[in-house]
């Protein structure tokens, strides 16, 4: 099934259930919401509707929403490339109820869409549900558990987790509530085709094969590919205002979210999102440019980073963000620099090349998102200019980094010197976050204490200089007559 068909089928399923099909909102949230840098979930555009502040002509909606998770509460930037299923930019399929239906229907419909032969027809034996049970909140979502049973999920595949896993909030404020997810056992689906079967890839998973455990936490279960979260059903019942007690919403609702890319991987029977029709043409184009095979282990992370980031750049620029040194523009800059570094350092390609991949993204996604077609040329130009501007800094920085790394290793040190990280930044403009990531790849950490101390001194000096410059310019504004030099007059 092509991804375009999956998207349409999802929306069609809910349209038939009298949901308004609402277009994606832009990646830059409305000015009325200063709490978010980028749109990070399908529910963002409905935030005020959930809170009862905005009335719409419908109480049920569905969408395929452009999302970017690179900042704030939901930030996947550093995981991208390391896993088969994390992205900065992705599309989130969702259905929403604003005080209309609640848990029972949301669960029954999700189960029907996922398992019915008329729809996605995923084998129910591969699926699990998770439900909230949290002592600190005093909440056990028995209702959700009961509705999963009624829908057809066997009891031994319904698992309870605390708020860390099964309570969803978009940020420090806003609508939030318990959530209940569908997970899929990809080993049951793919058998030996999983590149890293549970056990070798996930020997930290103390629960072994017998008991289901959420295995998508990178820190605890590096690279485990066995279980994948497929769909998150949130039941917004509260409003959160920073650390205040939760307030009940007047009308509880439903906010579901399923990554289209993950559905595509499952329905196309491939291990990784990067093997779906959303990514393959971008990766093939990259292979053609750099002349290396994406399938080789030592290159695969970088191919994934490049493919993911070029999509993020394309969509974010189309929605009006330009490269800059602060806010959204700086996030954009970090994304481009991360991809460019992977190209230079790991794919050994020395020329700007990301802009050459933009047309592949436009070909795949342009019929669904015409804004990227309209702005394709502009996006390419902006990306190319930014690549060129950063190239010299990157090249110099990579050489110096390597020299310091060698010296450090020769001296038997296991940490990257903070003063060198500072020199890289202050003298060569090489960003600290990049030094940190590269040090990590080399199995080291940067001595941040030294870096921070030098940085503070640097700031102090700049402040003093600025003050001096201000005083100078004030003097010049006084319009005093030129001073006559009389030193030699006598
Ligand atoms: N808002 C929830 C999420 O982003 C469900 O859509 O996971």
């Amino acid at each position: 099934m092509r991804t375009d068909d999956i998207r349409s089928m999802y929306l069609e399923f809910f349209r038939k259930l009298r949901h308004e099909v609402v277009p994606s909102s832009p990646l830059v949230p409305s000015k009325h919401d200063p709490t978010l840098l980028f749109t990070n979930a399908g529910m963002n555009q409905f935030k005020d509707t959930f809170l009862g502040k905005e009335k719409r002509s419908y109480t049920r909606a569905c969408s395929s929403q452009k999302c970017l998770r690179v900042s704030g509460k939901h930030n996947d930037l550093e995981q991208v490339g390391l896993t088969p299923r994390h992205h900065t930019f992705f599309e989130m399929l969702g259905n929403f109820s604003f005080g209309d239906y609640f848990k029972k229907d949301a669960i029954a419909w999700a189960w029907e869409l996922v398992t019915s032969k008329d729809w996605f027809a995923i084998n129910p034996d591969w699926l699990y549900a998770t439900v909230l049970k949290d002592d600190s909140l005093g909440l056990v979502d028995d209702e959700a558990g009961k509705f999963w049973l009624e829908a057809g999920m066997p009891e031994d595949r319904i698992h309870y987790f605390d708020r860390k896993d099964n309570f969803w909030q978009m940020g420090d404020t806003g609508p939030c509530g318990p959530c209940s997810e569908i997970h899929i056992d990809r080993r049951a689906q793919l058998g030996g085709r999983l590149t890293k079967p549970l056990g070798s890839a996930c020997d930290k998973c103390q629960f072994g094969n017998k008991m289901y455990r959420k295995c998508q936490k990178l820190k605890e279960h590096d690279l485990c590919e066995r279980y994948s979260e497929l769909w998150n059903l949130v039941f917004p019942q509260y409003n959160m205002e920073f650390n205040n007690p939760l307030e009940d919403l007047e009308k509880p609702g439903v906010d579901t979210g399923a990554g289209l890319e993950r559905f595509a991987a499952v329905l196309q029977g491939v291990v990784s999102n990067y093997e779906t029709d959303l990514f393959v043409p971008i990766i093939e184009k990259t292979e053609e440019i750099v002349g290396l095979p994406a399938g080789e282990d030592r290159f695969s992370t970088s191919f994934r980073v490049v493919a993911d980031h070029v999509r993020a750049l394309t969509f974010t620029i189309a929605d009006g963000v330009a490269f800059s040194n602060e806010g959204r523009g700086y996030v954009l800059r970090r994304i481009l620099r991360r991809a460019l570094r992977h190209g230079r350092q790991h794919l050994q390609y020395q020329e700007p090349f990301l802009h050459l991949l933009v047309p592949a993204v436009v070909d795949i996604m342009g019929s669904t998102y015409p804004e990227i077609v309209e702005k394709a040329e502009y996006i390419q130009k902006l990306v190319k200019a930014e690549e060129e501007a950063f190239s010299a800094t990157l090249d110099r920085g990579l050489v110096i980094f390597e020299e310091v790394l060698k010296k450090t290793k020769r001296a038997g040190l296991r940490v990257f010197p903070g003063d060198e990280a500072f020199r890289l930044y202050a003298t060569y403009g090489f960003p600290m976050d990049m030094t940190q990531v590269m040090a990590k790849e080399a199995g080291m950490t940067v001595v941040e204490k030294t870096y921070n101390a030098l940085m503070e001194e640097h700031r102090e000096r700049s402040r003093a200089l600025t003050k001096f410059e201000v005083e100078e310019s004030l003097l010049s504004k006084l319009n005093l007559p030129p001073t006559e030099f009389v030193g030699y007059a006598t």
Side-chain angles (χ1 to χ4, degrees):
M1 204 187 285
R2 288 167 48 238
T3 304
D4 281 347
D5 300 331
I6 299 170
R7 190 193 293 108
S8 313
M9 214 173 190
Y10 182 96
L11 297 175
E12 181 56 16
F13 179 87
F14 285 104
R15 196 193 57 77
K16 283 191 163 161
L17 291 165
R18 293 182 289 111
H19 288 62
E20 180 86 8
V21 180
V22 179
S24 171
S25 63
L27 283 170
V28 176
S30 109
K31 287 200 181 62
H32 306 301
D33 191 352
T35 65
L36 280 178
L37 208 51
F38 291 105
T39 300
N40 66 8
M43 55 74 70
N44 293 167
Q45 65 168 319
F46 304 116
K47 181 176 163 185
D48 284 347
T49 319
F50 280 116
L51 294 178
K53 290 186 193 162
E54 183 194 356
K55 290 269 168 289
R56 297 199 177 218
S57 58
Y58 45 83
T59 52
R60 299 176 177 193
C62 60
S63 66
S64 180
Q65 174 67 49
K66 299 181 280 187
C67 297
L68 196 67
R69 291 198 167 173
V70 287
S71 52
K73 193 154 199 70
H74 300 281
N75 185 350
D76 290 334
L77 182 65
E78 297 304 334
Q79 293 184 5
V80 170
L82 302 176
T83 79
R85 55 174 175 254
H86 280 93
H87 301 293
T88 53
F89 169 82
F90 66 100
E91 284 175 86
M92 188 179 273
L93 301 168
N95 56 289
F96 308 92
S97 153
F98 313 114
D100 189 315
Y101 60 90
F102 200 41
K103 294 178 191 178
K104 185 178 167 62
D105 290 326
I107 290 174
W109 290 336
W111 185 256
E112 185 188 348
L113 174 59
V114 168
T115 61
S116 158
K117 295 268 178 294
D118 298 330
W119 298 94
F120 291 158
I122 298 175
N123 185 340
D125 294 346
W126 304 338
L127 303 176
Y128 291 81
T130 67
V131 173
L132 176 75
K133 178 179 190 299
D134 189 284
D135 296 338
S136 68
L137 291 172
L139 288 176
V140 187
D141 198 353
D142 284 330
E143 258 185 342
K146 185 177 95 188
F147 294 136
W148 281 117
L149 270 177
E150 281 178 20
M153 179 75 82
E155 193 166 10
D156 64 345
R157 278 194 271 126
I158 302 171
H159 292 266
Y160 286 77
F161 292 98
D162 64 15
R163 66 180 299 179
K164 208 161 69 300
D165 287 311
N166 278 73
F167 191 89
W168 197 87
Q169 51 195 96
M170 61 177 260
D172 291 326
T173 64
C176 56
C179 64
S180 194
E181 304 151 319
I182 300 181
H183 287 241
I184 179 165
D185 179 349
R186 307 240 44 220
R187 193 175 71 176
Q189 183 194 8
L190 298 168
R193 275 193 295 142
L194 266 195
T195 48
K196 294 181 175 31
L198 185 79
S200 63
C202 198
D203 45 13
K204 287 178 211 150
C205 180
Q206 358 155 2
F207 292 91
N209 298 346
K210 281 200 208 105
M211 195 186 291
Y212 168 73
R213 168 91 186 135
K214 283 190 154 187
C215 277
Q216 77 273 36
K217 297 276 175 308
L218 257 193
K219 271 192 216 129
E220 296 158 32
H221 306 274
D222 303 328
L223 304 181
C224 175
E225 293 173 7
R226 179 171 177 183
Y227 298 106
S228 176
E229 178 190 328
L230 202 54
W231 199 345
N232 187 12
L233 278 51
V234 183
F235 308 116
Q237 284 174 251
Y238 310 106
N239 183 28
M240 186 178 283
E241 288 295 339
F242 292 99
N243 290 326
N244 295 345
L246 298 174
E247 294 162 25
D248 285 330
L249 289 182
E250 202 181 304
K251 288 184 184 163
V254 170
D255 149 31
T256 87
L260 174 64
E261 297 75 6
R262 291 188 185 188
F263 257 123
V266 170
L267 295 174
Q268 293 173 15
V270 292
V271 174
S272 148
N273 297 2
Y274 293 90
E275 293 166 65
T276 65
D277 58 346
L278 285 173
F279 286 92
V280 167
I282 310 173
I283 290 180
E284 283 177 354
K285 182 72 190 165
T286 314
E287 284 181 313
E288 190 187 310
I289 295 171
V290 303
L292 294 171
E296 221 169 281
D297 259 3
R298 63 198 166 119
F299 303 130
S300 57
T301 297
S302 299
F303 273 98
R304 291 198 283 248
V305 167
V306 167
D308 173 276
H309 288 11
V310 87
R311 281 173 22 117
L313 294 169
T314 304
F315 276 90
T316 315
I317 297 172
D319 279 351
V321 182
F323 297 103
S324 82
N325 268 341
E326 54 188 20
R328 297 188 178 100
Y330 186 64
V331 174
L332 199 63
R333 194 155 257 177
R334 279 189 68 194
I335 295 174
L336 179 134
R337 290 173 174 185
R338 191 166 183 262
L340 200 62
R341 178 183 76 83
H342 274 269
R344 282 284 206 288
Q345 206 187 2
H346 299 305
L347 302 178
Q348 303 144 30
Y349 195 72
Q350 306 308 320
E351 302 297 320
F353 71 108
L354 298 171
H355 63 284
L356 301 173
L357 302 170
V358 172
V361 180
V362 175
D363 275 355
I364 302 166
M365 311 279 282
S367 56
T368 313
Y369 298 104
E371 65 270 27
I372 64 172
V373 182
E374 277 159 37
K375 302 217 176 121
E377 222 174 288
Y378 166 74
I379 298 167
Q380 246 188 312
K381 265 195 206 140
L382 220 62
V383 172
K384 183 166 185 237
E386 182 70 13
E387 287 189 85
E388 285 169 352
F390 190 60
S391 285
T393 305
L394 182 59
D395 291 338
R396 231 180 4 238
L398 289 178
V399 172
I400 295 167
F401 179 91
E402 284 305 325
E403 283 168 10
V404 177
L405 191 67
K406 268 195 208 131
K407 221 167 54 192
T408 312
K409 281 186 178 162
R410 264 204 309 272
L413 297 174
R414 306 178 78 133
V415 285
F416 193 91
D419 55 344
E420 293 288 4
F422 175 74
R423 185 169 70 99
L424 270 161
Y425 170 69
T427 315
Y428 302 104
F430 197 71
M432 169 64 162
D433 55 0
M434 201 164 263
T435 304
Q436 279 167 320
V437 173
M438 286 164 54
K440 198 168 157 207
E441 282 178 5
M444 291 187 180
T445 49
V446 179
V447 186
E448 282 182 29
K449 213 169 148 198
T450 318
Y451 175 88
N452 290 338
L454 289 167
M455 196 63 200
E456 196 38 48
E457 269 176 37
H458 177 73
R459 283 200 193 105
E460 277 302 321
R461 272 199 307 275
S462 317
R463 269 197 287 271
L465 207 64
T466 316
K467 190 163 170 266
F468 176 70
E469 277 165 6
V470 169
E471 279 166 6
E472 283 270 280
S473 70
L474 271 179
L475 274 177
S476 72
K477 278 200 189 115
L478 290 177
N479 249 343
L480 298 172
T483 318
E484 197 186 338
F485 183 70
V486 291
Y488 295 143
T490 50

